[in-house]
C-alpha cells in the first residue's frame, strides 16, 4: 500500500471539559506538525499530581484535528490510518463517529477509515488523547508523539507489516530463507492474482525471485510461504549490519494491484547454557544499556533522526545492545538499530494486573494485553536487531500461581507468531518476594539493629543498598524465582548479579541475563560474566538520562536535593552514561574501560567544594566526580581524584609533580591532593609500557560563547547545536554558568533550547541557563536560511548561520 506521512496540517488544543463533545475548533487552537509532545509544553510545577514520576509535569486531555479532502475514487480503495504511538487512551473520530480507541501509549495501531469517509468531500479527523494523571512511573509525554501515516491501496493488497523473512539456515556458502507474505482481499468477489517476490542484496542487486499464483476468497486473507536459497550471504550483526530488501508485488489480470518493500537481515540466533548467546554461530556477550523513550530536550517526540543519533552515540561508546524500558520500541528506533548495528531487547510491559501507579495500563491489561503483545511482535519480527522479547519488567505477581499462568499465556502468544527469538523478563528478586519480605529482613537483620526495619521508603532502600546481595540469594527468593522463570528461555535478573554463580551451579541449564544492573558494580559484574557462558550480558541502568523518576541519580549533600527523597525542581533521573543532550558522562568511560574497550585512563574529580561531607547517593551513582580541574574558590582545599583504568598501575601528575602510583581496584584508582590550578595528567602502565594517558586543565574565566553544529548528526531535518562557555584560549569552562537568551532570524523552527541540568526544564522556551558551561539548541530545518544569536547574561554572545 502507498504510505504517506500524515504529520502536517494539524491543529491542537487542550480540552478542559472532559464531557465536551462539541465539534467546534476553539480560537486558541495551535497549528502543529507531528510528532508532537503536548505534555512538554506545560511547565513543570511542584504541585503536579504526577510528582517526580513525570518530572513534575501534568497530563491532560489533548485534542488534535485535521481536515482533508477525500476523492470519489477512494470508494474502491482501502484507506487506513496508522498511528505509530499516541500517549495514551486514544479515541479516533472521523466525521463525528468513533472509528477506533487504543489505551496503550506505546504500541502502534491501524484504523480502517472506509466505513466513515465522506467521498468527494472534506473530512474531519479528531483524535482525543486522554493522558491521565498518575498513568506512568516515568516521563511519558502526551499526545500524538510519534509519526502518523495515511495508507491507500486497492481492495486486494498486501497487509500492513505483512511480509516477514526468517533465516532457516545459514553458513558461509548458503542461507535458506522463508518469506511469509500476508495478502488481503476486501472485495466481495474472489480475486485471482500472482504474488511476485524478489530479494535485493545490500549492494542493490536482485539475487532471487519467485512467483506464486493465488486465489483469494472474498473478504479473505491468506499467508503465503516461499523459500529461497541465497548464495554467499552477508550476515547481519552488530559489527556488520548488512541489510537486504524484499520486494513484493500482487498482480492480477488488469496489472499491478499492490506492492510492498521490506528491509530484513540474514542472521541466525541461538542461546544455550554451554555456549551462551550466538549470533551467526559466533559467541556474543551483550554490553547493553536500558533506555527510556524520551529524547531529553525534545521530550517524547519520536523523530527518527533523534533515534539514530542516540543509537550511534551509544555504539561509539561501546554498547552493542539496548533494552527498551519498559514498553515496545518505536518502528523508528528499530530501523535505526537495524542500520547502525545494535541488538535490542524489545519489552512488552512494565506491569500486568497489579498497578504501579493509580491510573496505569493495569486497568486495560486483561482486555488488551494479548492484542498489544501481538502488535509488538508483528512490527518487531522483521527487524534483525531484535534478538529477545521481554514479557515484562519487575512484575510483582509473576511468581504467583496466577502470574505463572499469565506468563505461560504471554510466551505462547509470542511463540505462535515468532518462534525464532528467545523470551525473557526482567525479574526483581525483591519485588517477587511478596509476603516473604518480613521473613527475609528478619533473617538478614537478626542480631543487627532491628530498628532498621522501621521507617519510610528511603530507609527501606538504604537497607536494600546495604544488604541487597544477601536478600536476593535468600531461599524465599530462590523458590519464587524458579516459578517466575518456568516459561522463559532466558532469565532476566534485575539487580541480582549475586546469584549468577550460585544459579549456574544450581540450575545448570538456565541461561541468565543481567537485565538491569547498577553502574558502580559494572566492573565486577562484567568480570564474572566473562567466566560464565550461561550469563549472556549486562544491561546497566541507564544508558541515557531521561525525564522523570526525578532525582534517583542526583548526588546530593542536603535532603531533598537528590536521591530517593528528591523534591521539585528535580525533573530528571540524572542517571545514564549520556546526559539528556547526548554528552558523555564519566560513567560511560568507566564502563568502556572496564569492558576492555579503552586503554587510555580517564580522570574524574570529586567536587572539592564538598570535601569530607557525606554524599547522599543511590546505588545508581558512582560518585559526584566530573572530568574537570576547574574549581575556582577551592585553592588549597583537599581534592579526591578518581582515575578509571584497567591497567596494572596508574601514576598521576599535578603540574608535572607526581602524586604517586596506584593500582586500580575494579578499574578505579583513587588519589588525594590539594587543589591547585594547572594540569592533571594520568599515565596508565602495563608493566614497563605506557598504555595510555589522560589530561585535564584548568580553564580561565569565561570570555565567549561558542556555537557549534553537530557534524556527526544523522542527515535529516533536525539540527543540533552545542552551546559552550569558553575561556580566552578556547577551553571549555564548566565551573561558570550564564543565563542565555536566543534570537532566531529566518525560517528554521526552534524545537528546543535547554541544558542537561536535572533541576531545570521549559525546553521549548527561548531562554535557558547553561549547566556546567553547556547548553543545546535543536532546530527543524526549512528551505530558508536561519541565523541564531545567543546572548549571555554577562554580555558574551555568539552568532551562527545555518
Amino acid at each position: 500500500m502507498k504510505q504517506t506521512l500524515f504529520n502536517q496540517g494539524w491543529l491542537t488544543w487542550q480540552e478542559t471539559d472532559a464531557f465536551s463533545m462539541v465539534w467546534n475548533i476553539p480560537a486558541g487552537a495551535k497549528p502543529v506538525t507531528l510528532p508532537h509532545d503536548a505534555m512538554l509544553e506545560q511547565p513543570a510545577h511542584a504541585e503536579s499530581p504526577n510528582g517526580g514520576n513525570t518530572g513534575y509535569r501534568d497530563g491532560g486531555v489533548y485534542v488534535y484535528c485535521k481536515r482533508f479532502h477525500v476523492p470519489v475514487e477512494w470508494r474502491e480503495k482501502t484507506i487506513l490510518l496508522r498511528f505509530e504511538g499516541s500517549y495514551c487512551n486514544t479515541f479516533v473520530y472521523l466525521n463525528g463517529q468513533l472509528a477506533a480507541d487504543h489505551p496503550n501509549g506505546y504500541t502502534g495501531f491501524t484504523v480502517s477509515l472506509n466505513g466513515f469517509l465522506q467521498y468527494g468531500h472534506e473530512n474531519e479527523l479528531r483524535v482525543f488523547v486522554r493522558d491521565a494523571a498518575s498513568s506512568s512511573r516515568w516521563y511519558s509525554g502526551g499526545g500524538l508523539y510519534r509519526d502518523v501515516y495515511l495508507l491507500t491501496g486497492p481492495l486486494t493488497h498486501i497487509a500492513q507489516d505483512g511480509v516477514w523473512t526468517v533465516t532457516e539456515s545459514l553458513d558461509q556458502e548458503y542461507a535458506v530463507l522463508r518469506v511469509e507474505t500476508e495478502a488481503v482481499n476486501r472485495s466481495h468477489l474472489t480475486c485471482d492474482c500472482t504474488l511476485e517476490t524478489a530479494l535485493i542484496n545490500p549492494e542493490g542487486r536482485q539475487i532471487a525471485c519467485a512467483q506464486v499464483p493465488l486465489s483469494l476468497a472474498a473478504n479473505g486473507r491468506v499467508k503465503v510461504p516461499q523459500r529461497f536459497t541465497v548464495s554467499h550471504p552477508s550476515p547481519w550483526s552488530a559489527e556488520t549490519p548488512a541489510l537486504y530488501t524484499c520486494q513484493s508485488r500482487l498482480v492480477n489480470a488488469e496489472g499491478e494491484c499492490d506492492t510492498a518493500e521490506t528491509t530484513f537481515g540474514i542472521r541466525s540466533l541461538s542461546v544455550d547454557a554451554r555456549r551462551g548467546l550466538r549470533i551467526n554461530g559466533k559467541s556474543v556477550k551483550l554490553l547493553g544499556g536500558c533506555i527510556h523513550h524520551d529524547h531529553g530536550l525534545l521530550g517524547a517526540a519520536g523523530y527518527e533522526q533523534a533515534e539514530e543519533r542516540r543509537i550511534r552515540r551509544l555504539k561509539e561508546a561501546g554498547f552493542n545492545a539496548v533494552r527498551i524500558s519498559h514498553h515496545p520500541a518505536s518502528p523508528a528506533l528499530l530501523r535505526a538499530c537495524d542500520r547502525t548495528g545494535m541488538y535490542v531487547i524489545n519489552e512488552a510491559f512494565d506491569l500486568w494486573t497489579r498497578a504501579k501507579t493509580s491510573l496505569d495500563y493495569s486497568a486495560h491489561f486483561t482486555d488488551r494485553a494479548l492484542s498489544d503483545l501481538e502488535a509488538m511482535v508483528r512490527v518487531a519480527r522483521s527487524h534483525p536487531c531484535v534478538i529477545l522479547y521481554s514479557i515484562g519488567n519487575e512484575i510483582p505477581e509473576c511468581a504467583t500461581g496466577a502470574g505463572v499462568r499469565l506468563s505461560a499465556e504471554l510466551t505462547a502468544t509470542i511463540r505462535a507468531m515468532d518462534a525464532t527469538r528467545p523470551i525473557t523478563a526482567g525479574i526483581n528478586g525483591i519485588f517477587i518476594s511478596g509476603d516473604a519480605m518480613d521473613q527475609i529482613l528478619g533473617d538478614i537483620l537478626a542480631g543487627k539493629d532491628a530498628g532498621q526495619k522501621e521507617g519510610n521508603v528511603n530507609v527501606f532502600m538504604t537497607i536494600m543498598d546495604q544488604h541487597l546481595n544477601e536478600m536476593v540469594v535468600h531461599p524465599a527468593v530462590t523458590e519464587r524465582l524458579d516459578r517466575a522463570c518456568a516459561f522463559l528461555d532466558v532469565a532476566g535478573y534485575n539487580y541480582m548479579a549475586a546469584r549468577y554463580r550460585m544459579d549456574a551451579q544450581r540450575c545448570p541449564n538456565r541461561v541468565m541475563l543481567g537485565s538491569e544492573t547498577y553502574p558502580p558494580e559494572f566492573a565486577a559484574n562484567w568480570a564474572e560474566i566473562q567466566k560464565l557462558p550461561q550469563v549472556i550480558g549486562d544491561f546497566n541502568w541507564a544508558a541515557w538520562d531521561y525525564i522523570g523518576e526525578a532525582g534517583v541519580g542526583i548526588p546530593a549533600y542536603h535532603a531533598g536535593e537528590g536521591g530517593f527523597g528528591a523534591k521539585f525542581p528535580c525533573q530528571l533521573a540524572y542517571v545514564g552514561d549520556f546526559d539528556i543532550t547526548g554528552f558523555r558522562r564519566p560513567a560511560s568511560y568507566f564502563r568502556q574501560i572496564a569492558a576492555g574497550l579503552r586503554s587510555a585512563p580517564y580522570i574524574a574529580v570529586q567536587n572539592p567544594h564538598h570535601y569530607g561531607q557525606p554524599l547522599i547517593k543511590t546505588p545508581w551513582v558512582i560518585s559526584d566526580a566530573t572530568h574537570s580541574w576547574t574549581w575556582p574558590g577551592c585553592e588549597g582545599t583537599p581534592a579526591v581524584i578518581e582515575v578509571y583504568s584497567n591497567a596494572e598501575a596508574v601514576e598521576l601528575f599535578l603540574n608535572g609533580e607526581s602524586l604517586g602510583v596506584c593500582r586500580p581496584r575494579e578499574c578505579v584508582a583513587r588519589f588525594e591532593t590539594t587543589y591547585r590550578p594547572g594540569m592533571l595528567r594520568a599515565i596508565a602502565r602495563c608493566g614497563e609500557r605506557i598504555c595510555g594517558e589522560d589530561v585535564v586543565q584548568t580553564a580561565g574565566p569565561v570570555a565567549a560563547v561558542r556555537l557549534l553544529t553537530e557534524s556527526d548528526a544523522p542527515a535529516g531535518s533536525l539540527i543540533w547545536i552545542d552551546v559552550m562557555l569558553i575561556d580566552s584560549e578556547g577551553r571549555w569552562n564548566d565551573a561558570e554558568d550564564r543565563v542565555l537568551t536566543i534570537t532566531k532570524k529566518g525560517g528554521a523552527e526552534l524545537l528546543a533550547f535547554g541544558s542537561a541540568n536535572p533541576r531545570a526544564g521549559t525546553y521549548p522556551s527561548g531562554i535557558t541557563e547553561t549547566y556546567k558551561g553547556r547548553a543545546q539548541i535543536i532546530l527543524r530545518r526549512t528551505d530558508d536560511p536561519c541565523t541564531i544569536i545567543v546572548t549571555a547574561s554577562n554580555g558574551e554572545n555568539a552568532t551562527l548561520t545555518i
Side-chain angles (χ1 to χ4, degrees), residues 33-284:
T33 297
L34 307 182
H36 175 247
D37 181 359
M39 180 181 277
L40 194 71
E41 296 183 346
Q42 302 301 315
H45 64 106
E47 295 76 27
S48 173
N50 290 334
N53 284 349
T54 62
Y56 295 94
R57 293 180 185 269
D58 295 347
V61 179
Y62 313 116
V63 187
Y64 293 83
C65 180
K66 176 167 178 162
R67 290 172 174 164
F68 61 105
H69 180 75
V70 175
V72 173
E73 55 267 27
W74 281 14
R75 194 185 301 273
E76 298 302 319
K77 291 183 176 292
T78 299
I79 311 299
L80 307 174
L81 200 61
R82 174 70 180 173
F83 294 84
E84 292 204 332
S86 173
Y87 198 90
C88 60
N89 296 311
T90 304
F91 298 82
V92 180
Y93 293 85
L94 183 57
N95 299 320
Q97 301 182 76
L98 179 65
D101 70 292
H102 189 76
N104 193 302
Y106 300 103
T107 51
F109 62 102
T110 301
V111 183
S112 176
L113 302 185
N114 289 91
F116 308 95
L117 290 170
Q118 296 176 2
Y119 301 99
H121 298 280
E122 184 178 68
N123 288 240
E124 184 182 85
L125 181 68
R126 292 210 182 194
V127 183
F128 287 75
V129 186
R130 294 184 168 90
D131 179 12
S134 303
S135 70
S136 179
R137 295 192 302 114
W138 55 83
Y139 180 80
S140 59
L144 300 182
Y145 72 98
R146 291 182 185 163
D147 290 329
V148 176
Y149 290 91
L150 181 69
L151 281 64
T152 57
L155 297 179
T156 303
H157 59 272
I158 298 167
Q160 173 75 7
D161 297 318
V163 180
W164 178 35
T165 302
V166 179
T167 304
E168 292 187 338
S169 66
L170 172 64
D171 56 39
Q172 289 185 344
E173 193 170 2
Y174 297 108
V176 178
L177 309 178
R178 184 180 82 251
V179 179
E180 185 179 278
T181 305
E182 185 175 3
V184 180
N185 180 21
R186 290 185 57 250
S187 170
H188 64 284
L189 300 174
T190 299
C191 178
D192 293 325
C193 57
T194 299
L195 172 65
E196 299 178 352
T197 303
L199 303 184
I200 312 300
N201 70 8
E203 289 74 42
R205 182 170 56 87
Q206 180 175 303
I207 55 171
C209 62
Q211 296 182 347
V212 179
L214 301 176
S215 181
L216 289 171
N219 296 309
R221 62 176 61 216
V222 64
K223 294 179 181 178
V224 184
Q226 295 171 283
R227 297 177 81 246
F228 296 87
T229 300
V230 174
S231 301
H232 307 295
S234 299
W236 186 98
S237 69
E239 295 75 28
T240 58
L243 292 173
Y244 288 72
T245 302
C246 178
Q247 295 178 342
S248 309
R249 294 177 73 229
L250 278 179
V251 181
N252 63 14
E254 298 176 359
E256 183 178 274
C257 293
D258 194 19
T259 63
E261 189 167 282
T262 309
T263 301
F264 70 96
I266 296 176
R267 78 138 169 74
S268 66
L269 169 64
S270 65
V271 63
D272 63 67
R274 300 295 180 269
R275 295 169 296 185
L277 172 67
R278 290 188 297 159
I279 306 290
N280 304 326
K282 297 179 181 178
S283 294
V284 173

Side-chain angles (χ1 to χ4, degrees), residues 445-732:
L445 298 179
K448 302 174 185 177
D449 182 7
Q452 289 187 69
K453 291 190 288 183
E454 305 297 329
N456 60 19
V457 65
N458 293 333
V459 174
F460 179 71
M461 296 307 296
T462 300
I463 294 173
M464 281 188 58
D465 190 20
Q466 295 172 348
H467 303 287
L468 183 62
N469 287 347
E470 299 170 74
M471 296 170 75
V472 299
V473 299
H474 191 279
V477 172
T478 298
E479 177 189 352
R480 287 160 174 78
L481 179 62
D482 289 347
R483 290 202 296 268
C485 294
F487 291 92
L488 303 178
D489 302 302
V490 176
Y493 284 12
N494 281 18
Y495 309 110
M496 294 196 294
R499 296 194 63 99
Y500 289 163
R501 189 164 292 277
M502 179 179 87
D503 284 352
Q505 297 174 351
R506 190 179 65 86
C507 305
N509 291 310
R510 178 176 295 176
V511 179
M512 293 168 279
L513 170 73
S515 43
E516 200 165 307
T517 61
Y518 294 127
E521 298 176 0
F522 175 76
N525 290 348
W526 192 247
E528 186 79 344
I529 288 169
Q530 302 310 301
K531 301 171 187 174
L532 299 172
Q534 57 268 72
V535 185
I536 63 173
D538 177 279
F539 286 76
N540 82 289
W541 191 270
W544 199 281
D545 192 18
Y546 54 94
I547 310 172
E549 293 191 303
V552 296
I554 300 177
Y557 295 91
H558 301 96
E561 292 183 352
F564 295 114
K567 300 183 184 305
F568 185 83
C570 295
Q571 294 169 48
L572 306 183
Y574 205 61
V575 295
D577 285 32
F578 287 77
D579 69 25
I580 62 167
T581 69
F583 182 72
R584 285 184 74 180
R585 300 171 64 195
S588 176
Y589 295 92
F590 169 70
R591 187 177 329 283
Q592 193 176 30
I593 287 166
L597 301 176
R598 174 185 165 108
S599 58
Y602 181 85
I603 297 171
V605 180
Q606 295 182 15
N607 190 334
H609 288 287
H610 297 286
Y611 176 83
Q613 298 178 30
L615 178 65
I616 300 171
K617 71 183 187 74
T618 65
W620 293 276
V621 179
I622 298 175
S623 71
D624 68 350
T626 58
H627 188 61
S628 175
W629 195 239
T630 303
W631 302 98
C634 290
E635 291 78 6
T637 300
V640 176
I641 300 148
E642 302 169 1
V643 180
Y644 306 146
S645 176
N646 58 7
E648 294 176 11
V650 173
E651 186 170 11
L652 186 65
F653 297 86
L654 173 57
N655 298 330
E657 176 186 341
S658 176
L659 300 180
V661 177
C662 182
R663 288 185 175 273
R665 182 177 180 181
E666 294 186 352
C667 296
V668 181
R670 287 182 172 82
F671 299 83
E672 186 168 330
T673 188
T674 299
Y675 174 69
R676 288 174 285 151
M679 178 189 291
L680 270 182
R681 182 182 180 214
I683 296 178
R685 290 191 174 90
C686 301
E688 298 299 318
R689 180 176 60 87
I690 293 177
C691 45
E693 65 175 72
D694 190 29
V695 172
V696 288
Q697 283 186 275
T698 305
V702 172
V705 178
R706 186 172 70 189
L707 304 181
L708 187 63
T709 303
E710 285 187 3
S711 59
D712 61 342
S717 63
L718 301 192
I719 303 167
W720 283 264
I721 301 170
D722 291 325
V723 184
M724 188 178 296
L725 304 181
I726 58 175
D727 67 8
S728 59
E729 301 295 322
R731 290 187 292 259
W732 167 38

